[in-house]
Every structure is written in structure tokens, then in C-alpha cells.
Amino acid sequence: MPGRIRGKRPDKIKKRKKKKLPVDQIEQKVREKFEPKPPKNELKTIPRKKRKRPKKRWSLKDLDLENNISIVKVKQLGIWILQIAAVILLAFTFVWYFGQRVSTVGDSMNPVLENGDVVFVNRFVYNARFPKRGEIIVFKPKGNENSHYYIKRVIGRPGETVEIIEGKIYIDGEKLEEDYQVSEISNVGIVTEKIKLGEDEFFVLGDDREKSEDSRMADVGNVKRAHIYGKAWFVVSPFDHFGFIKD
């Protein structure tokens, strides 16, 4: 029979009741059905409303210094910086006052120094005192900046009289006894009579006096303290001459 549901009698079939929608919802559905929908590509281009976020002001509290940086770490960093500064200062001081290098020109200081020997100069020692007799000094004759450095031994000191008689040196009338190896003096140069040294003047000679250009020569003469660069104290090269210089 048409319209009959198998297994149930027609009189037992319950009719579903359709729910009635409110008028405003019905109108909205009709409107949505007949209004044209924008294409999918256009839907993506519709901008969303941008929310303006308030700008947060930065402060030291954001660093959380109390938790991230401890006092111990700050002290360690300060000690480390001071140690580096101290090392740099000491290195600079050593190089400036004790590490200035000068090359030996000629064999006038043979056998202590030979031609081409490179020596360190102590520039500090003569700021505290006058050069002593027998010390090997570095200077420029008459303060001539265009000249090379001379390396000679101190013989006469300020205020003394120097005299050369028969190849022997006399200081204030007394013969000078030298305990280092020197050659005899055959040429007295300008020292034909007693020389009186000024309050800031020194008389210098090379150990090999036959080959030395020193205070006996007019081009060198007496050496003023202001023209003394320092004391030669260490041979740095060549390696076979490496070591301290003995006065």
C-alpha cells in the first residue's frame, strides 16, 4: 500500500510538528538567502580592526638587577679591570724607562760592547742621581738631535779636574785606577792641559781609546747631564752577547 511504513501501522505514525520561527529570524534568513555574497578573495582583504596597544615605558626595574647581577660579581669584575690596568701600566713603565733600545756604532767600547750590539737603556736611574764614575752612559754629543747615540764610560764627574799625562788619567791630581780592560791613550786630543768640569758636565772615554771618539775630541767635548739619555744596562742582541752589561 502506498504511504505505508513497514512494521508500523498508519494510525501509529506520529506527525512531526514544525517549529514556528519568529518573524525577525525569518526575515533575516530570507535576506541572507537573496543578498549576493562577496567572493572569497574579497573576504580576505577585509581588514580587521586594529587594536591600539598602549606603549610600555622602560625602566630599570625591568632589568631585575637584584636577581641578575650580584654584588659579588660586580666586585670580581672591578678587581679584574684593575688588574688588567695595573699590568698595562707596569708594561708601559718598563718599556718607557728600561726598554728603550739603542744600537752600538763602532768598536769604541770593545770588549764590553761591539759594533751592532743592541742595548736596553735605563732612562729612570739618572732622574734620581748623577752618573757614577765607571758607568756606561748613552748620550748625544752637544745635544745634537741629528746625531746617533754615543755609548761611552764616565771618567770625570762634575766639579772635578781631568788631566792626561803620558797616557794616564789623573782626576784632581790623582792617578785613576781602572778595573776594566782599556787600551793605552796615544792621542790626548784637546786635553793638552787640565780640564775643569762644570757642575753639570761629565768627561767620558771609550774603552778602546785608539778607536774612540769621545771627550778628547772637540766635536764631543764634555757631556752635559741634560744630554744624557740613560744608562746602558743590558745587551738584547745578538744572542751570543745577550746579558747584563758590567760597569
Side-chain angles (χ1 to χ4, degrees), residues 1 16 53 62 75 108 114 130 134 146 204 241:
M1 291 178 64
R16 295 177 181 176
R53 296 180 181 178
D62 297 332
K75 286 183 178 179
S108 65
E114 295 182 6
F130 273 61
N146 296 323
V204 298
H241 295 168

Side-chain angles (χ1 to χ4, degrees), residues 142-157:
K142 301 186 182 300
N144 184 4
E145 292 298 327
N146 296 323
S147 172
H148 64 80
Y149 284 103
Y150 280 53
I151 302 177
K152 308 295 178 184
R153 194 181 296 274
V154 174
I155 301 299
R157 303 182 75 242

Side-chain angles (χ1 to χ4, degrees), residues 102-105 108-114 117-123 125-126 129-139 149-157 178-182 202-209 212 223 228-235 243-247:
V102 172
S103 295
T104 305
V105 179
S108 65
M109 288 303 298
N110 194 35
V112 177
L113 295 173
E114 295 182 6
D117 284 357
V118 178
V119 302
F120 281 149
V121 181
N122 184 342
R123 300 184 61 192
V125 63
Y126 295 146
R129 63 172 178 82
F130 273 61
K132 296 179 180 179
R133 195 185 328 277
E135 289 184 338
I136 298 173
I137 64 171
V138 179
F139 66 96
Y149 284 103
Y150 280 53
I151 302 177
K152 308 295 178 184
R153 194 181 296 274
V154 174
I155 301 299
R157 303 182 75 242
E178 300 176 281
D179 57 357
Y180 38 84
Q181 185 178 342
V182 296
F202 296 84
F203 186 90
V204 298
L205 294 175
D207 288 353
D208 190 349
R209 287 157 188 178
S212 178
V223 179
I228 297 175
Y229 187 61
K231 177 184 177 182
W233 67 281
F234 195 89
V235 179
F244 290 98
I245 299 172
K246 294 181 179 180
D247 293 330

Side-chain angles (χ1 to χ4, degrees), residues 66-81:
E66 293 180 358
N67 296 326
N68 295 332
I69 302 177
S70 64
I71 296 175
V72 176
K73 289 182 178 179
V74 172
K75 286 183 178 179
Q76 290 176 346
L77 180 61
I79 292 170
W80 183 67
I81 292 172

Side-chain angles (χ1 to χ4, degrees), residues 3-39:
R4 182 178 177 179
I5 299 173
R6 187 178 293 178
K8 289 187 179 182
R9 292 173 60 184
D11 55 348
K12 298 289 184 181
I13 298 172
K14 292 181 179 180
K15 293 183 180 180
R16 295 177 181 176
K17 294 182 180 180
K18 293 183 178 181
K19 293 181 180 180
K20 292 184 179 180
L21 298 173
V23 176
D24 55 346
Q25 291 185 6
I26 294 172
E27 289 179 354
Q28 185 177 355
K29 283 190 174 185
V30 171
R31 195 180 302 111
E32 290 176 354
K33 186 175 182 181
F34 290 99
E35 283 184 355
K37 295 180 180 180

